[in-house]
Amino acid sequence: MFVKILQEVRDKTQIECQNCRYVNDYLLASVSVWCDKLNLHDNIKNYIIREYQSYGFTSLIDYLYSLWKTEKREEKDWRGNVKITYPTSKLHNLVASILNKINVRSEPNVRSEPMEIIVIGAFVVTAVGYWIHILNSGQNQVQQLSLRVEPKQNENPPTIPSLTVNKTINKYFLVLVVSASEAKFLETLQTKSRLDLSDGERLYKITNYLWLGSESEFNQGKTEINNYLVSTREESEYDIHLVYFEMKRLDERFKENINQVDRFDAFRDLANSYISFTVSPRLQMEAYGNFEVYNC
């Protein structure tokens, strides 16, 4: 039964992802398909997708994929000729063996990404999200029931164990200070659904200053930004745009006093480390003083 559902989810995901470019997009689409296939209520589905987009649940998937992907290998024969091979990984062979045993037919890789492991990974994400939702919902129900229980006189009320999953929600924001001369490039970014690696590299080159901090610090810094709006008649070559990124997690490589190699790598990885981004209107140069920015 599960094998049949797995095949159906895989086929539906391939249909939904005809225009997908990134593994993360395939995972998100597959999670949505799993929720529909399992007849989960819309509230639960939205909760799982929101949690996945906010916190990722991706560390396990990223680790599995790192074990899955093949690495280029160069070998020399006895004549000294170099032979290039791409040996399959142990995890790839293990999954292939399992899929063969349960008679799941092997499909060509979608943009070089194995669909079976993506769909299985999405099932894990869906199951974890559903489990957390049930635990949190269960706690609410327990609290409601406990309000109706009135202890007898001189007796202590019953102790009910907490089922809530303790989770501190910390949101982090990245702010880039970019010259207004790059306005056309920034407009192009806003029309794209997702940034790619080359966009991150370009942002690294054009960013003059940056800042990384918590949600409360970010909101405080934005409070008076509109005071620095520039009218068409007052435009200056020193004007700037602020690019705001809501991050999936804290990336230490965007902090102050980081070596340039790590900083560059952080920008290259930016496409996979942010949730959303916006670009401010044209602002006076003094606007970035609202944040304690530092050199890129």
Side-chain angles (χ1 to χ4, degrees):
M1 183 65 178
F2 178 78
V3 174
K4 181 180 178 182
I5 296 176
L6 181 68
Q7 292 173 338
E8 293 174 352
V9 172
R10 179 197 56 199
D11 294 341
K12 180 66 173 178
T13 300
Q14 287 176 318
I15 294 174
E16 296 290 335
C17 282
Q18 292 180 359
N19 297 319
C20 293
R21 298 178 59 189
Y22 304 100
V23 176
N24 214 37
D25 296 331
Y26 284 98
L27 277 168
L28 183 59
S30 189
V31 168
S32 178
V33 174
W34 271 115
C35 290
D36 293 337
K37 181 60 67 174
L38 297 173
N39 294 320
L40 299 184
H41 192 277
D42 286 344
N43 290 339
I44 300 177
K45 176 181 177 180
N46 293 335
Y47 171 84
I48 294 173
I49 291 176
R50 184 176 65 252
E51 291 292 296
Y52 172 76
Q53 289 177 315
S54 299
Y55 308 106
F57 297 152
T58 55
S59 57
L60 174 62
I61 306 303
D62 291 341
Y63 175 69
L64 290 176
Y65 179 66
S66 69
L67 297 179
W68 174 279
K69 65 181 180 181
T70 58
E71 299 289 345
K72 177 181 178 181
R73 181 183 299 175
E74 296 183 357
E75 299 177 347
K76 291 184 178 180
D77 59 21
W78 63 276
R79 294 181 179 179
N81 297 324
V82 177
K83 180 181 179 181
I84 299 177
T85 60
Y86 294 86
T88 56
S89 65
K90 292 182 179 181
L91 181 60
H92 183 286
N93 293 333
L94 175 62
V95 172
S97 175
I98 294 173
L99 294 175
N100 287 334
K101 287 181 180 180
I102 62 176
N103 296 319
V104 177
R105 70 179 188 275
S106 177
E107 292 284 355
N109 288 346
V110 178
R111 297 183 182 272
S112 301
E113 308 299 342
M115 277 301 299
E116 277 80 8
I117 198 170
I118 290 175
V119 173
I120 293 173
F123 176 75
V124 173
V125 170
T126 305
V128 170
Y130 180 72
W131 176 72
I132 293 175
H133 181 273
I134 290 299
L135 287 181
N136 288 330
S137 298
Q139 171 66 9
N140 293 334
Q141 293 173 3
V142 168
Q143 291 175 345
Q144 292 173 4
L145 289 174
S146 65
L147 294 177
R148 302 171 189 160
V149 177
E150 297 183 2
K152 296 180 180 179
Q153 190 174 3
N154 298 326
E155 287 188 7
N156 295 324
T159 302
I160 301 176
S162 173
L163 299 178
T164 301
V165 177
N166 294 325
K167 178 175 61 178
T168 302
I169 300 176
N170 294 319
K171 290 185 179 181
Y172 295 95
F173 289 81
L174 173 69
V175 178
L176 308 181
V177 181
V178 178
S179 170
S181 62
E182 300 291 343
K184 289 186 178 180
F185 171 66
L186 296 178
E187 289 176 4
T188 301
L189 289 187
Q190 293 184 95
T191 63
K192 302 176 67 171
S193 57
R194 293 291 299 180
L195 303 188
D196 55 33
L197 184 145
S198 63
D199 294 326
E201 293 177 347
R202 176 72 182 277
L203 282 171
Y204 172 78
K205 293 178 181 179
I206 66 176
T207 296
N208 297 317
Y209 307 99
L210 71 157
W211 173 88
L212 179 70
S214 67
E215 182 179 20
S216 60
E217 295 170 321
F218 172 73
N219 290 334
Q220 183 177 353
K222 283 189 65 180
T223 301
E224 300 179 357
I225 284 295
N226 288 339
N227 294 339
Y228 300 96
L229 292 175
V230 176
S231 65
T232 304
R233 292 178 299 177
E234 298 174 338
E235 290 184 357
S236 165
E237 61 179 312
Y238 301 109
D239 294 341
I240 62 170
H241 287 283
L242 298 180
V243 187
Y244 310 120
F245 285 91
E246 181 181 350
M247 306 297 287
K248 291 181 180 178
R249 62 190 69 85
L250 177 63
D251 191 334
E252 301 281 347
R253 297 172 300 175
F254 284 113
K255 285 190 171 182
E256 191 174 6
N257 298 324
I258 300 296
N259 69 71
Q260 291 304 302
V261 174
D262 289 341
R263 183 82 84 209
F264 180 64
D265 288 342
F267 274 88
R268 284 170 57 89
D269 296 340
L270 185 58
N272 297 316
S273 59
Y274 79 95
I275 298 173
S276 62
F277 78 95
T278 56
V279 179
S280 76
R282 191 179 184 112
L283 302 170
Q284 298 172 16
M285 180 177 62
E286 292 79 7
Y288 68 71
N290 283 29
F291 299 94
E292 296 182 5
V293 299
Y294 35 87
N295 290 328
C296 182

